[in-house]
Amino acid sequence: MDNFSSLRINGQRLWQSLMDMAQIGATRKGGCNRQTLTDEDKQGRDLFIDWCREIGCDVTIDAIGNLFARRAGSNDSLPPILTGSHLDTQPTGGKFDGVYGVLAGLEVLRTLEENQIRTQSPLEVAVWTNEEGSRFAPALLGSGVWSGAFEIEDAYAITDKSGKSVGTELERIGYKGEAEARARPLQAAFEVHIEQGPILEKENLQIGVLTGIQGLRWYDLTIEGEACHAGPTPMQSRRDPFMAAAPIIAGCYDIAAQYEPWGRATIGDIKAEPGSRNTVPERLILNIDLRHPDADVLDAMDRSFKELVERECTSRSLEHQVSECWHMPVTRFDTKCVDAVRSATEKLGYSHMEMVSGAGHDSLYIASVAPTSMIFVPCENGISHNEIENAKLEDLEAGCNVLLQAILEIDRQN
Ligand SMILES: [Zn+2]
């Protein structure tokens, strides 16, 4: 057992901690409502800190409320190996999204502690503030500030629907910390998460070895027409923006299909103005979301989309405007970290596949400042952001064992 390759986490203890945390903000349908910077969020943070102190960790709170529980290494001057995720949930969230990544990190530290194993590098478990973005937009706020994507003063000023700000709510729950919210050198960062999609379950595989996060492009497409009466106006003499919107929508699905299996096209919202049943709309606004894990393909999808819009609108003499409101570039995870996860998975003998994340995670921002990768485990029917979100103890245990062994693998490289 010289390199601790036979060391395993305690799945039952991990499960119990998940269930204990789920009591805070528990909903009637078995989910959680522990939105960021609420009283419930404070209680969840307090419980996590109690658990960390029980095993001798130091907990640091930074200025945006991110928590870092640190277990000293035998060479404590080395940059830490970090893992973690988030404890906040959607209003009708589940018990596992984010929470699993935090408590799996804690379980790794508990396992090392009870086996009296001291890694060379210090280990840290992070809890990132406001990953979900449901109470305060945007999402990934804590990891974004820490990585330098957002300014802290801008983050403090963000308000919820009732006008309360991030800054005042952080102070109110006592989690506006002293430490500067700024990236420090890390040896590696890992995040284990439920997949929130159906692929692993469908393939009957236990572990997803993540190589990156999909890129996305968000567009607001405005098509201008001319309002007229639905009855007297002959079809030929109308300037109806829907006549272009229909082939554009179909064309978006064709673009996604052209780049199967990872291409995605979603028309999430359409607003018709003035929005009256018996009037041809004078304006349509479509919200469109295109995604792909390969940067070149996503660029190609972008070009096809713009050509499609141009063609369908111009041929009908409809003016249009495409405004690109968000471009999240493709994230490629660090080779060393991906290799550590793959090799840990293989040594543990778990079935697995390489995949990319379709959703954003804190790791997206961490990856911009430190070597990073992620581990996925299946969740029931791929359902997440839902109170019925569920996962199996043995899969959660497997993912946590991969996390433990990947961390030890990186530590051995010192
Ligand atoms: Zn999450």
Side-chain angles (χ1 to χ4, degrees), residues 247-319:
I248 288 171
I249 292 170
C252 285
Y253 297 137
D254 290 342
I255 292 171
Q258 197 184 336
Y259 298 105
E260 276 182 333
W262 296 108
R264 305 271 188 272
T266 306
I267 322 296
D269 198 14
I270 297 185
K271 194 162 155 243
E273 290 174 4
S276 166
R277 183 191 304 269
N278 53 355
T279 300
V280 167
E282 76 179 23
R283 179 176 300 117
L284 277 187
I285 303 163
L286 292 84
N287 296 162
I288 296 158
D289 173 318
L290 298 182
R291 301 187 186 214
H292 200 279
D294 183 308
D296 293 338
V297 174
L298 187 59
D299 287 346
M301 291 171 73
D302 173 64
R303 284 193 299 275
S304 304
F305 169 70
K306 285 174 182 159
E307 284 161 18
L308 167 75
V309 169
E310 183 68 39
R311 187 171 64 240
E312 300 300 340
C313 291
T314 326
S315 67
R316 291 172 179 84
S317 309
L318 296 165
E319 281 179 21

Side-chain angles (χ1 to χ4, degrees), residues 85-86 97-98 131-132 193 196 361:
S85 194
H86 58 98
D97 173 5
E131 190 273 350
E132 294 291 356
H193 207 284
Q196 306 181 283
H361 291 286

Side-chain angles (χ1 to χ4, degrees), residues 8-231:
R8 298 290 179 272
I9 62 96
N10 182 333
Q12 198 59 54
R13 181 171 57 195
L14 169 62
W15 182 267
Q16 191 55 53
S17 298
L18 283 162
M19 295 308 116
D20 291 346
M21 185 59 79
Q23 300 282 313
I24 302 170
T27 61
R28 277 193 300 126
K29 290 184 199 158
C32 283
N33 179 2
R34 204 170 47 246
Q35 292 181 68
T36 197
L37 310 185
T38 57
D39 291 350
E40 290 77 18
D41 186 18
K42 173 185 164 43
Q43 285 174 48
R45 289 161 173 265
D46 290 351
L47 177 61
F48 172 73
I49 290 174
D50 286 348
W51 283 337
C52 292
R53 293 205 169 127
E54 273 169 22
I55 54 167
C57 292
D58 284 331
V59 179
T60 305
I61 307 167
D62 78 10
I64 193 68
N66 297 321
L67 309 183
F68 301 92
R70 180 181 172 104
R71 184 172 192 267
S74 61
N75 182 354
D76 213 38
S77 60
L78 287 170
I81 302 171
L82 180 137
T83 187
S85 194
H86 58 98
L87 288 175
D88 66 319
T89 73
Q90 291 283 322
T92 54
K95 298 191 278 288
F96 303 96
D97 173 5
V99 191
Y100 168 50
V102 171
L103 298 183
L106 173 68
E107 177 53 36
V108 166
L109 300 193
R110 284 172 166 169
T111 301
L112 294 170
E113 188 64 20
E114 76 182 345
N115 288 278
Q116 298 176 359
I117 294 168
R118 185 63 53 187
T119 50
Q120 299 177 72
S121 314
L123 304 185
E124 294 192 19
V125 179
V127 178
W128 302 109
T129 296
N130 187 31
E131 190 273 350
E132 294 291 356
S134 48
R135 181 180 178 202
F136 296 105
L140 312 178
L141 189 69
S143 51
V145 168
W146 191 80
S147 319
F150 308 126
E151 294 295 332
I152 191 150
E153 292 304 328
D154 296 341
Y156 286 154
I158 297 167
T159 51
D160 68 5
K161 279 184 203 146
S162 71
K164 290 178 181 143
S165 74
V166 167
T168 55
E169 286 295 272
L170 270 172
E171 271 168 27
R172 185 185 68 80
I173 67 163
Y175 275 94
K176 192 178 197 174
E178 300 284 304
E180 197 183 357
R182 174 182 286 210
R184 299 164 274 130
L186 300 178
Q187 210 167 138
F190 296 103
E191 181 175 8
V192 56
H193 207 284
I194 57 168
E195 183 197 333
Q196 306 181 283
I199 297 171
L200 288 172
E201 189 183 62
K202 213 172 100 202
E203 302 288 331
N204 200 21
L205 298 171
Q206 219 165 4
I207 298 291
V209 176
L210 268 77
T211 55
I213 300 181
Q214 274 191 344
L216 66 79
R217 288 174 177 270
W218 279 5
Y219 310 91
D220 287 345
L221 166 62
T222 307
I223 309 175
E224 307 282 351
E226 191 176 42
C228 63
H229 196 297

